[in-house]
Amino acid sequence: RQVCDLGSQIADALTAAHAIHIVHRDLKPDNILLEPRDDGTFLIKVLDFGVARITAGANLPTSDLTRMGTVIGTPGYMAPEQAMGESVDFRVDIYALGVIMWECIAGKVLWDGASVSELFTTQLAGQAPPLGTEVPGLPPELSALVDLMLDRNPRRRPESARQIRDALRRMSHSTLIAAPSHKPAVPATAVANPLPRWLVPVSIGVLVVLVVIGLTMGQGKTAQRPNDGTAPTPATPATP
């Protein structure tokens, strides 16, 4: 249910971008920020539109933005047509969202390889494994939607991010969506980190500083204690 909620928020951001003819082209976990809310849920923010493409229909020049034969994106999250350098549209974002949801639910990386070329070979050789076979007990409606988003043929993917958003919103409020019958094994390399990668070293550094300060304060308090073995005399309350 949480994956449906987060997925619907990402799809909502894509809906807004696609409405003004912008394709992200590099949607991946590193470009998604989770901001905790007071009620325990998360607010999604889609970041880094640095390689976004302005599609035909926008009142902006597009001649220098993308040319056929140029591969831009992140291996493992690029759609097949994007990895092959073909012309792309909003459906590459739908594919990338499908990869993200597949990995969140299955608890492992979808496309992997010892090298980029091996990864692409595996991805382009066949269809993604059906999510329902990876996670037994998953509602058929959810697995079918993710499988459709990952279709190699962009024409067979959902018609729009809006359609995905609305479907995920319905499923996030459905009583039929529940936790799978087993907890998927998540390899160490696939464990989600709620902090952006660049922030992890900073967080560790801050933690070390706080520990040092705590130890220093503790030593200071120890030095101030009486060393004659007697307990300190409690303060006499003031007479009203």
Side-chain angles (χ1 to χ4, degrees):
R1 183 171 296 178
Q2 186 181 49
V3 173
C4 290
D5 175 57
L6 299 179
S8 69
Q9 292 188 57
I10 299 173
D12 189 46
L14 294 178
T15 298
H18 296 168
I20 55 176
H21 307 283
I22 293 178
V23 180
H24 192 290
R25 294 198 304 170
D26 196 24
L27 189 66
K28 56 186 176 181
D30 285 354
N31 289 337
I32 298 172
L33 179 65
L34 277 67
E35 183 176 309
R37 291 169 168 158
D38 293 338
D39 61 357
T41 61
F42 292 94
L43 173 66
I44 286 287
K45 294 183 179 180
V46 177
L47 311 175
D48 195 1
F49 279 79
V51 299
R53 177 180 186 270
I54 302 173
T55 61
N59 296 322
L60 293 170
T62 63
S63 57
D64 295 330
L65 292 174
T66 300
R67 293 183 175 88
M68 187 175 295
T70 301
V71 178
I72 298 177
T74 299
Y77 296 93
M78 285 190 287
E81 67 271 21
Q82 186 177 4
M84 296 175 66
E86 300 175 358
S87 60
V88 301
D89 58 19
F90 70 92
R91 288 171 289 196
V92 298
D93 289 344
I94 289 178
Y95 182 93
L97 177 55
V99 175
I100 293 171
M101 293 192 60
W102 193 99
E103 294 180 345
C104 286
I105 297 172
K108 61 182 180 180
V109 175
L110 174 55
W111 304 115
D112 199 7
S115 64
V116 174
S117 60
E118 182 179 329
L119 185 153
F120 279 141
T121 300
T122 303
Q123 180 181 5
L124 299 177
Q127 188 69 23
L131 185 56
T133 62
E134 298 290 328
V135 186
L138 194 68
E141 184 182 1
L142 178 56
S143 58
L145 176 62
V146 175
D147 292 343
L148 195 62
M149 295 164 66
L150 292 171
D151 200 298
R152 288 176 49 82
N153 187 340
R155 296 182 179 180
R156 291 198 293 260
R157 294 174 201 153
E159 297 179 355
S160 66
R162 183 187 302 274
Q163 180 183 6
I164 297 171
R165 179 199 65 187
D166 294 345
L168 290 174
R169 281 179 176 175
R170 288 194 301 270
M171 283 186 271
S172 68
H173 294 91
S174 173
T175 57
L176 299 178
I177 300 294
S181 56
H182 77 290
K183 185 177 180 180
V186 183
T189 56
V191 175
N193 191 336
L195 294 175
R197 291 183 179 179
W198 64 267
L199 191 56
V200 174
V202 178
S203 301
I204 295 175
V206 172
L207 180 59
V208 171
V209 171
L210 291 176
V211 171
V212 172
I213 293 174
L215 291 174
T216 303
M217 293 179 63
Q219 291 174 356
K221 290 181 179 180
T222 302
Q224 295 175 4
R225 291 177 181 173
N227 55 10
D228 57 358
T230 60
T233 304
T236 304
T239 302

